[in-house]
Structure formats: C-alpha cells, structure tokens
C-alpha cells in the first residue's frame, strides 16, 4: 500500500510493506482463501492479550476515585511492544511469517491494550467529579502511549545497530 504522496507522483512510502496493491491477489484479504487463517490468528492472539489485560487488572485493582494505574501501564507497555514488533518485522527489508503480525500486533497487543476501558475509566472519574485525575489520566495515557511507541522502536533499532527507519 502506498501513501497519497506516492499516488500523486511523489516519493514512495510503504504503509504496509507486506501488501502490494499492484498485485491483484493482495488486494483483498479474502484472495486465495487467506481470510480464515488471518482471522483465526487475530482471534487467538486477541484472547491471549485480553486475558493478560484482565490478569493485570486483577493483580493491580484500581480503588474508586484513584488514578487507574493498571490500565495506564497496560496501554503504555502494550504501545512500547508495538514499537518493538514493528521494527522487528518490517524495517530494513525484514519480513515475518504471514501470521506473525496479525497474531502478535493485531491480536495479542490489540487485545492487551484497550481504548474502551480507558474511556470507561475516564468517564467514571468525570462522573465522580474527579476531573483533575481524569485529565491527568487522559493526557498521561496519550503522552505515555505515544512516547512508548517511539521509545520501543528507538531502543529496538539501537539494539539492532540501526539509527533510523528505512
């Protein structure tokens, strides 16, 4: 898949290096019967990730009216792992077996991280008139998640002896 700049004749930037939309068989996930293995990988990974997140909330419950640290750290650590995974499977010509990204990226890490619980926690804090904690949670999660992706990717590149994406 190419960016809008590429489509307009500008520089080429691969958005998903595993998919080339110029190849008819790669235009749809259903091509060649590939849909079911991908969906199975995502489902299995999602179950693993969601169970891990649930386990984290059992180990570190959040008392009402306090900062939701468990979900904050779940989202931040999940984002760091997404940064690591994307460097390992897609930079410098690296590729992974076809089901690794759907299983780990979309499934496990998608099931582990959670926007819905984050939104529910934020809403609950506002309903209990804990606006300061709610705003700190909203801003802190956004900053922490974005920083974690960058840090995870940067640390992985450094560990692999690279300094920048291709």
């Amino acid at each position: 898949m190419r960016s809008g700049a590429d489509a307009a004749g500008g520089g080429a930037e691969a958005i998903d290096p595993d998919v080339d939309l110029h190849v008819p068989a790669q235009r749809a996930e259903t091509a060649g019967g590939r849909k079911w293995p991908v969906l199975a990988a995502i489902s299995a990974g999602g179950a693993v990730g969601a169970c891990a997140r649930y386990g984290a909330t059992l180990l570190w419950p959040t008392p009402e009216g306090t900062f939701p640290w468990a979900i904050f750290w779940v989202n931040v650590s999940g984002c760091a792992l997404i940064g690591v995974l994307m460097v390992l499977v897609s930079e410098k010509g690296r590729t992974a077996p076809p089901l690794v990204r759907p299983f780990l990226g979309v499934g496990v890490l998608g099931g582990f991280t959670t926007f819905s619980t984050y939104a529910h926690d934020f809403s609950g804090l506002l309903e209990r008139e804990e606006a300061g904690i709610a705003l700190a949670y909203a801003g802190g999660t956004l900053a922490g998640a974005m920083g974690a992706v960058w840090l995870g990717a940067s640390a992985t590149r450094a560990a692999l002896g690279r300094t920048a994406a291709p």
Side-chain angles (χ1 to χ4, degrees), residues 28-144:
E29 287 184 330
T30 59
R34 295 183 340 191
K35 174 172 77 171
W36 298 113
V38 171
L39 291 176
I42 291 169
S43 297
V48 170
C51 287
R53 174 175 24 99
Y54 179 67
T57 63
L58 291 178
L59 288 172
W60 300 289
T62 300
E64 190 170 307
T66 64
F67 193 92
W69 286 108
I71 295 301
F72 173 82
W73 286 115
V74 159
N75 284 331
V76 169
S77 63
C79 286
L81 291 171
I82 288 168
V84 170
L85 178 67
M86 289 299 102
V87 169
L88 292 176
V89 302
S90 65
E91 289 188 5
K92 294 287 186 185
R94 292 188 119 166
T95 58
L99 297 178
V100 167
R101 284 176 55 174
F103 176 74
L104 292 176
V106 180
V108 174
L109 295 174
F112 183 62
T113 58
T114 173
F115 182 77
S116 59
T117 303
Y118 162 73
H120 176 75
D121 289 345
F122 178 75
S123 177
L125 287 166
L126 288 177
E127 287 174 8
R128 289 187 301 278
E129 298 182 2
E130 299 284 347
I133 295 172
L135 292 175
Y137 181 50
T141 298
L142 177 62

Side-chain angles (χ1 to χ4, degrees), residues 6-48:
D6 185 35
E13 177 186 340
I15 293 174
D16 186 346
D18 295 337
V19 177
D20 183 352
L21 295 178
H22 296 99
V23 177
Q26 294 184 10
R27 288 187 187 155
E29 287 184 330
T30 59
R34 295 183 340 191
K35 174 172 77 171
W36 298 113
V38 171
L39 291 176
I42 291 169
S43 297
V48 170

